[in-house]
Amino acid sequence: MSRNLLRTSSMGFSIFFMWEIVVKYHSVFLVSLIPTFSLLGYLIITLPIGYVLDKVNKSKVIFLFSVMTVLVYFLLIFVQSLIYIYAVDFLSFMLYMGSGDAYYSSIKEIVSEDLSGAMSLNTVGRAGSGIAGTALGGSVAYFDPASLPFILVVMALVAASLSFPFKSVSSKDSTIYSFSHVSKVIKLILPLLLMGLLINGAFTAIDVYSSGCFT
């Protein structure tokens, strides 16, 4: 639930401010920086979070990232400059994805039976939170734009309370991989990541252009 709330808030933030930037600046380029900074945050945290998760309690990481998300959203109440919006986008998505990595790692350690079922439920939750976040961002932008920062802070607070650390259960048969193993995987998926960036940018441009046609 904690991770789903963070995803809902992250999606709501992105949808809301992509529309706000369209309305205020009429710039496809400025809007495209929202998903760009999101992906940049994830790329930066990918390597160090893997190392950290091998050393510490995963639930503590999720809790810490949830608390940090509260602070990031809280400042949004007072500052909504374009630069800070990009900073929040960068940090909130980085924290959300980092907590997600910790969550997946916890599933593999804790769930010894029916792992496929647990992953299926996680996929359902991820899809549902994505839809909820999209609806949240759109409805708040339409009905009450000023309330978004407060809603995001409340959601992050609830997420932090739900992720209060518990004793981690480690798997005795877990395998520790070196950076050389990780680098091989990165090289294999890098072309797909670049293709995903290009496709994501193209669809963002189309969305912004179509939105501008109706404004």
Side-chain angles (χ1 to χ4, degrees):
M1 286 300 296
S2 174
R3 181 174 180 273
N4 288 338
L5 280 172
L6 289 181
R7 175 169 172 76
T8 300
S9 64
S10 179
M11 286 293 297
F13 171 89
S14 297
I15 296 298
F16 177 88
F17 280 106
M18 286 176 70
W19 175 251
E20 286 290 295
I21 292 173
V22 169
V23 173
K24 292 182 179 180
Y25 299 98
H26 307 285
S27 171
V28 173
F29 173 73
L30 292 179
V31 174
S32 68
L33 291 180
I34 292 288
T36 299
F37 278 110
S38 295
L39 292 172
L40 179 61
Y42 181 51
L43 288 175
I44 289 176
I45 203 173
T46 297
L47 293 179
I49 193 65
Y51 176 81
V52 171
L53 292 178
D54 285 336
K55 306 297 181 181
V56 302
N57 186 315
K58 280 73 173 177
S59 62
K60 290 182 179 178
V61 173
I62 298 174
F63 177 72
L64 176 61
F65 282 8
S66 298
V67 172
M68 293 173 66
T69 302
V70 174
L71 299 176
V72 169
Y73 285 149
F74 181 75
L75 292 178
L76 194 63
I77 297 175
F78 307 100
V79 183
Q80 290 192 22
S81 65
L82 190 59
I83 297 300
Y84 188 69
I85 289 172
Y86 291 143
V88 173
D89 176 45
F90 173 82
L91 293 172
S92 63
F93 198 78
M94 175 190 289
L95 295 171
Y96 156 67
M97 293 303 294
S99 66
D101 289 343
Y103 173 72
Y104 283 122
S105 181
S106 296
I107 288 180
K108 294 177 181 179
E109 289 185 354
I110 296 173
V111 180
S112 57
E113 299 179 2
D114 196 20
L115 180 60
S116 60
M119 296 302 291
S120 296
L121 289 175
N122 170 70
T123 302
V124 172
R126 187 174 184 275
S129 59
I131 294 172
T134 302
L136 171 68
S139 59
V140 172
Y142 183 79
F143 292 107
D144 189 12
S147 66
L148 181 74
F150 299 95
I151 293 174
L152 295 179
V153 169
V154 171
M155 294 180 68
L157 281 171
V158 175
S161 65
L162 291 174
S163 63
F164 192 79
F166 58 88
K167 186 177 180 180
S168 179
V169 180
S170 300
S171 173
K172 295 181 179 179
D173 299 325
S174 60
T175 303
I176 299 177
Y177 295 96
S178 65
F179 181 77
S180 60
H181 293 93
V182 178
S183 62
K184 291 179 181 179
V185 175
I186 292 176
K187 289 179 182 178
L188 289 174
I189 66 174
L190 186 59
L192 294 177
L193 287 175
L194 294 175
M195 183 181 297
L197 287 172
L198 292 173
I199 294 173
N200 182 72
F203 276 104
T204 299
I206 293 172
D207 288 343
V208 175
Y209 179 76
S210 60
S211 297
C213 291
F214 291 96
T215 56

